[in-house]
Amino acid sequence: MKAQTALTGLVSVAALLPEASANIVAIRNPSVEQAAAEALAIPLAVLKRAAPDAPNGYVPTHVDCPSNRPTIRQATTVSPNETEWLYVRRNNTVSAMRNLLGRMNITGLDTNAYIDSVANNVSALPNIAIAGSGGGYRALMNYAGAVAAFDNRTSNSTATGQLGGLLQASTYLAGLSGGSWLVGSLFVNNFTSVENILAQDTPDNGGTWQFGRSILEGPESSGLSILNTAGYLKDIYDTVQDKNDAGYETTITDYWGRALSYQLVNASDGGPAYTFSSIADSDNFIAGNTPMPIFVSDGRARGQLVIDGNATVYEMNPWELGTFDPTTYAFAPIRYLGSNFSDGVVVDGDMQCVRGFDNAGYIMGTSSSLFNQAFLQVNGSTGLIAEAITAVLADIGQDNDDIANYPNPFFGVNNATSRVADTDQLTLVDGGEDLQNIPLHPLIQPERHVDVIFAIDSSADTTADNGGANWPNGTALVATYQRTFLPISNGTSFPAVPDQQTFVNLGLNNRPTFFGCDASNTTNMTPLIVYLPNAPYVYHSNVSTYDLSYNDTERNYIIENGYNVATLGNGTLDSQWPTCVGCAILSRSLERTGTTVPDVCTQCFQRYCWDGTVNSTTNTTYEPPYKLAKGEVLGFSNSGFKSTMPSLAFAVSAIATVLMIM
Ligand SMILES: *[C@@H]1O[C@H](CO)[C@@H](O)[C@H](O)[C@H]1NC(C)=O
Ligand SMILES: *[C@@H]1O[C@H](CO)[C@@H](O)[C@H](O)[C@H]1NC(C)=O
Ligand SMILES: *[C@@H]1O[C@H](CO)[C@@H](O)[C@H](O)[C@H]1NC(C)=O
Ligand SMILES: *[C@@H]1O[C@H](CO)[C@@H](O)[C@H](O)[C@H]1NC(C)=O
Ligand SMILES: *[C@@H]1O[C@H](CO)[C@@H](O)[C@H](O)[C@H]1NC(C)=O
Ligand SMILES: *[C@@H]1O[C@H](CO)[C@@H](O)[C@H](O)[C@H]1NC(C)=O
Ligand SMILES: *[C@@H]1O[C@H](CO)[C@@H](O)[C@H](O)[C@H]1NC(C)=O
Ligand SMILES: *[C@@H]1O[C@H](CO)[C@@H](O)[C@H](O)[C@H]1NC(C)=O
Ligand SMILES: *[C@@H]1O[C@H](CO)[C@@H](O)[C@H](O)[C@H]1NC(C)=O
Ligand SMILES: *[C@@H]1O[C@H](CO)[C@@H](O)[C@H](O)[C@H]1NC(C)=O
Ligand SMILES: *[C@@H]1O[C@H](CO)[C@@H](O)[C@H](O)[C@H]1NC(C)=O
Ligand SMILES: CC(=O)N[C@H]1CO[C@H](CO)[C@@H](O)[C@@H]1O
């Protein structure tokens, strides 16, 4: 059994829901022509970022196919689009890496000369990826702190002891579930910085990450308008209803994804027309000035359970949805999801392509569909959303409440080997349901040649009392490692990791740990893993996954703590930490070019690499003390952020949800 949910002690939220309205005015669906006219009226500057480019808001719409008709491709390589983009991006990481490593004080190696010597050799140039786990808002905030630490745009992030520039030097930025909310939120908002998102959230100008009111009530404002809960819920209801009326089978994920958008997309009403594929058209991304975002989701047939490690793992990136797993082994153009694909092509005829299915919030909601549970508490109460969800549940059954429906683009593809070749709907669930709660799967594909993965783990694994719950214990890494021994792994490999009890006993879940340092002890030089587990540096950030509201003070503390997770308190706990991060970045590259490993790096590896020791003695106590002191704020200063309270202190921490999640 995996994530088991036991919803207990729920406070009824019926009072928060609008009265069932007798006359609901359906939101008008503009015609395609009207929408096109409106789109043309949007200033060009707006089109250059991730854009509200869906022809008809949230509702997927039939359009003429492009002359180059969309097709499904086999998963033999990464997409031509990615290959083309990588030329630009990898080249851009050269100066960023030179800059970063130059600040990392790697005594004994002229990093400038080294990077210059490998700059034109993609197989020698370090290839960096960052991956953020699931875990709801906790994961979003902890990952946000780490990404802020890696971002050279963050104030003081390029000072001594800091890691600013790692983000600029990275090729991939992956997110799963709560981690995908962070990645999605940054990309849909023009790849702005975390610091900037927080700075813009002022009392006068309700910003993007307003978590003070839970998603059941909606943020206080949306764009420039003040929101009331009734209007918010009605809007969500109406847009989902419109999609349903247009003939698409909707699920709770639609409601959930729409609600999420209000908090994550900085546009009126959560930007119903923002598509995930529009990221591929934004200037920043095309110019290779950002890494490539990747989300992860698991396949699960209706009425079935996810089998640990044996589920098909799908990825969503700005061009495609698909998987390298042999159980599907194909990729579909994400922009044209919803089209009637059969045998790998769109059925012939006019207006046969569909646009707008890849709503950004829906894609984020798919990766995090376990959180549909949050919406379930309205089941049985009155009000629009409640009635809609009750109806959905009656239709699909409670067992499928975590599913996201996609008209299956892989119908008739790889009939002999695919698990989904004969199903109309591709049903996807939360990427963490197979316990691989860190989105490592896309990053360990041999085709991507990643050298080092910074794995930020915000999982809630531990269950101990006395402050010991909701910390990671390595479960996600263990799951990914074990999967590489199953046939479904299809040539992927992963460094050896010990059992979870060893993680806890040796403190590997409480401080940075490197796995796979000895390349010769891994298959095909699998990436080095820099494991960065959530731990209490300046705040007890082990808040429950199902805590759905955070005041700004707490939000900022958790982000601050995440910053310290990544920087070891700005190097306070180890002044050589940035050097060691540099060594991790260079490790595989040095190996391939036969370059002598500098002594400082050897020292770092002695300190941070797991050496193969196992200690599985059962011991359930885990009460990590503060590594620094509460609120000891270094560098990424809380004072720089707004820390006022939401004016409406809704005491609705409605969910006393006891949820054991990966
Ligand atoms: C997006 O960000 C870039 C800087 O990274 C900026 O030049 C551009 O103007 C921004 N675009 C919009 C529409 O805000
Ligand atoms: C992806 O590549 C195909 C051709 O290889 C091209 O037609 C398409 O426009 C590209 N997509 C994007 C979003 O750049
Ligand atoms: C690589 O980047 C450098 C500067 O950062 C630029 O001058 C050069 O044109 C780029 N090369 C390619 C092939 O894009
Ligand atoms: C951050 O890194 C980018 C890419 O190397 C560089 O162009 C930019 O100038 C840097 N910004 C700061 C503030 O250091
Ligand atoms: C750089 O590292 C060396 C040890 O390798 C140390 O002696 C020196 O103080 C460090 N320099 C800075 C500026 O941290
Ligand atoms: C994985 O799934 C396949 C069917 O697709 C099944 O044959 C196999 O036994 C499963 N393996 C495990 C370890 O569950
Ligand atoms: C795969 O199955 C589909 C539908 O069952 C069928 O139409 C198609 O011809 C099959 N493809 C191959 C290559 O056998
Ligand atoms: C590790 O976490 C899993 C849940 O992910 C839990 O079942 C297990 O008991 C934990 N083990 C330890 C030693 O913390
Ligand atoms: C913010 O939330 C934290 C944690 O729940 C709580 O301790 C603190 O009192 C709250 N602050 C205000 C001003 O509401
Ligand atoms: C080396 O590989 C073996 C076999 O995979 C594994 O048992 C061992 O733990 C690995 N050692 C280290 C230090 O990773
Ligand atoms: C940056 O560092 C300066 C000097 O140490 C400090 O005064 C300032 O508060 C810091 N800014 C932030 C946002 O932490
Ligand atoms: C390395 C490896 O085993 N690759 C296989 C992955 O799955 C596809 C589709 O089943 C095979 O064609 C590859 O050989």
Side-chain angles (χ1 to χ4, degrees):
M1 286 287 286
K2 42 221 71 344
Q4 289 200 328
T5 56
L7 296 161
T8 58
L10 296 184
V11 177
S12 168
V13 292
L16 297 170
L17 295 165
E19 294 299 312
S21 169
N23 56 341
I24 302 155
V25 183
I27 283 187
R28 181 183 58 92
N29 282 333
S31 68
V32 176
E33 296 74 39
Q34 282 169 318
E38 282 167 28
L40 284 175
I42 297 170
L44 203 57
V46 177
L47 289 175
K48 295 292 192 172
R49 47 168 289 194
D53 70 344
N56 191 13
Y58 188 69
V59 182
T61 303
H62 283 272
V63 297
D64 283 324
C65 292
S67 54
N68 188 0
R69 289 174 77 85
T71 54
I72 307 303
R73 68 173 187 89
Q74 294 291 306
T76 40
T77 59
V78 299
S79 67
N81 300 84
E82 182 174 338
T83 303
E84 201 182 318
W85 177 86
L86 283 170
Y87 281 118
V88 184
R89 177 59 183 169
R90 298 277 322 268
N91 183 48
N92 282 353
T93 64
V94 171
S95 62
M97 219 174 294
R98 209 174 180 274
N99 215 313
L100 174 72
L101 293 170
R103 278 187 272 113
M104 287 181 153
N105 190 23
I106 303 179
T107 308
L109 182 72
D110 181 343
T111 53
N112 283 349
Y114 183 78
I115 292 298
D116 290 346
S117 75
V118 296
N120 295 315
N121 179 357
V122 285
S123 63
L125 179 69
N127 192 9
I128 308 172
I130 303 172
S133 79
Y137 289 90
R138 180 188 63 251
L140 183 163
M141 294 183 284
N142 187 49
Y143 195 14
V147 167
F150 297 155
D151 188 345
N152 74 351
R153 297 170 299 178
T154 304
S155 306
N156 294 345
S157 70
T158 54
T160 308
Q162 304 278 349
L163 302 177
L166 180 54
L167 182 65
Q168 281 69 25
S170 297
T171 309
Y172 300 104
L173 185 68
L176 182 154
S177 201
S180 82
W181 305 348
L182 183 266
V183 174
S185 193
L186 294 180
F187 276 92
V188 173
N189 296 308
N190 197 26
F191 202 66
T192 187
S193 67
V194 168
E195 190 176 69
N196 201 29
I197 286 185
L198 294 176
Q200 281 172 3
D201 180 22
T202 64
D204 302 337
N205 170 26
T208 312
W209 295 353
Q210 298 177 62
F211 304 145
R213 292 203 323 204
S214 96
I215 202 153
L216 297 166
E217 303 156 67
E220 287 177 66
S221 57
S222 162
L224 293 175
S225 41
I226 302 296
L227 272 188
N228 66 60
T229 296
Y232 161 79
L233 292 176
K234 181 173 182 309
D235 176 69
I236 291 174
Y237 174 83
D238 286 344
T239 47
V240 175
Q241 203 56 40
D242 289 344
K243 176 174 170 182
N244 201 59
D245 291 348
Y248 298 89
E249 216 178 306
T250 52
T251 64
I252 304 179
T253 307
D254 286 277
Y255 296 97
W256 171 245
R258 282 269 50 230
L260 264 182
S261 300
Y262 277 80
Q263 294 182 331
L264 303 178
V265 180
N266 188 10
S268 287
D269 302 334
Y274 277 78
T275 59
F276 192 65
S277 58
S278 70
I279 293 168
D281 290 337
S282 69
D283 281 345
N284 270 343
F285 183 75
I286 291 172
N289 291 332
T290 76
M292 172 174 152
I294 309 184
F295 295 171
V296 163
S297 191
D298 292 342
R300 195 186 81 189
R302 290 194 159 187
Q304 296 199 342
L305 290 174
V306 169
I307 301 182
D308 292 359
N310 208 16
T312 307
V313 179
Y314 294 88
E315 70 169 63
M316 291 95 140
N317 66 52
W319 301 288
E320 295 187 322
L321 177 153
T323 179
F324 294 96
D325 287 349
T327 44
T328 299
Y329 202 64
F331 283 88
I334 200 163
R335 179 175 311 232
Y336 293 103
L337 285 180
S339 306
N340 187 5
F341 282 99
S342 187
D343 303 340
V345 295
V346 180
V347 170
D348 207 11
D350 291 342
M351 302 282 279
Q352 282 296 340
C353 279
V354 168
R355 288 266 287 108
F357 192 92
D358 65 319
N359 173 271
Y362 188 64
I363 302 280
M364 289 188 254
T366 299
S367 182
S368 61
S369 63
L370 200 64
F371 293 84
N372 286 349
Q373 301 288 348
F375 262 34
L376 285 186
Q377 60 187 304
V378 304
N379 188 19
S381 35
T382 55
L384 281 174
I385 292 274
E387 283 166 19
I389 289 179
T390 307
V392 168
L393 287 182
D395 204 26
I396 66 173
Q398 204 117 12
D399 289 346
N400 288 320
D401 56 41
D402 58 348
I403 274 178
N405 266 343
Y406 287 70
N408 182 12
F410 306 118
F411 184 84
V413 175
N414 296 332
N415 289 348
T417 46
S418 172
R419 285 181 190 165
V420 296
D422 59 356
T423 62
D424 290 341
Q425 297 281 331
L426 178 68
T427 46
L428 302 181
V429 298
D430 194 290
E433 288 195 33
D434 64 350
L435 301 184
Q436 298 191 83
N437 203 29
I438 306 175
L440 297 163
H441 179 273
L443 307 174
I444 60 172
Q445 297 303 323
E447 285 295 320
R448 288 213 165 97
H449 307 287
V450 172
D451 288 324
V452 57
I453 305 174
F454 288 83
I456 291 91
D457 195 357
S458 316
S459 302
D461 294 325
T462 60
T463 53
D465 298 331
N466 302 319
N470 299 332
W471 299 110
N473 72 9
T475 293
L477 296 186
V478 170
T480 297
Y481 175 53
Q482 287 178 346
R483 191 181 194 265
T484 61
F485 299 107
L486 299 179
I488 198 171
S489 67
N490 201 22
T492 56
S493 50
F494 196 71
V497 299
D499 62 287
Q500 289 101 311
Q501 190 65 67
T502 296
F503 267 86
V504 174
N505 291 349
L506 302 184
L508 308 179
N509 67 331
N510 187 250
R511 57 179 151 77
T513 307
F514 300 172
F515 294 97
C517 292
D518 179 2
S520 64
N521 198 40
T522 69
T523 316
N524 305 327
M525 259 200 217
T526 181
L528 178 82
I529 306 299
V530 176
Y531 183 55
L532 297 170
N534 183 22
Y537 285 77
V538 296
Y539 194 74
H540 275 100
S541 52
N542 56 333
V543 292
S544 161
T545 307
Y546 280 70
D547 198 344
L548 299 185
S549 66
Y550 298 88
N551 62 39
D552 291 0
T553 309
E554 189 169 33
R555 176 193 70 187
N556 293 352
Y557 263 129
I558 297 174
I559 293 174
E560 175 91 26
N561 193 70
Y563 193 98
N564 285 295
V565 164
T567 60
L568 283 183
N570 295 340
T572 308
L573 294 170
D574 178 359
S575 61
Q576 263 193 334
W577 173 238
T579 305
C580 296
V581 167
C583 294
I585 290 171
L586 287 165
S587 177
R588 292 290 188 262
S589 174
L590 295 176
E591 176 93 18
R592 275 198 303 268
T593 56
T595 307
T596 308
V597 176
D599 287 346
V600 281
C601 289
T602 305
Q603 289 159 25
C604 282
F605 296 147
Q606 277 162 4
R607 195 143 78 245
Y608 288 103
C609 294
W610 176 60
D611 63 1
T613 307
V614 169
N615 173 356
S616 315
T617 313
T618 307
N619 169 16
T620 52
T621 314
Y622 181 62
E623 293 174 27
Y626 271 124
K627 291 170 145 315
L628 297 165
K630 179 175 178 190
E632 187 183 325
V633 165
L634 301 147
F636 191 59
S637 169
N638 217 30
S639 65
F641 307 150
K642 164 200 170 202
S643 58
T644 52
M645 293 308 103
S647 51
L648 276 168
F650 267 80
V652 184
S653 164
I655 305 188
T657 303
V658 182
L659 192 134
M660 237 193 56
I661 179 177
M662 51 263 13

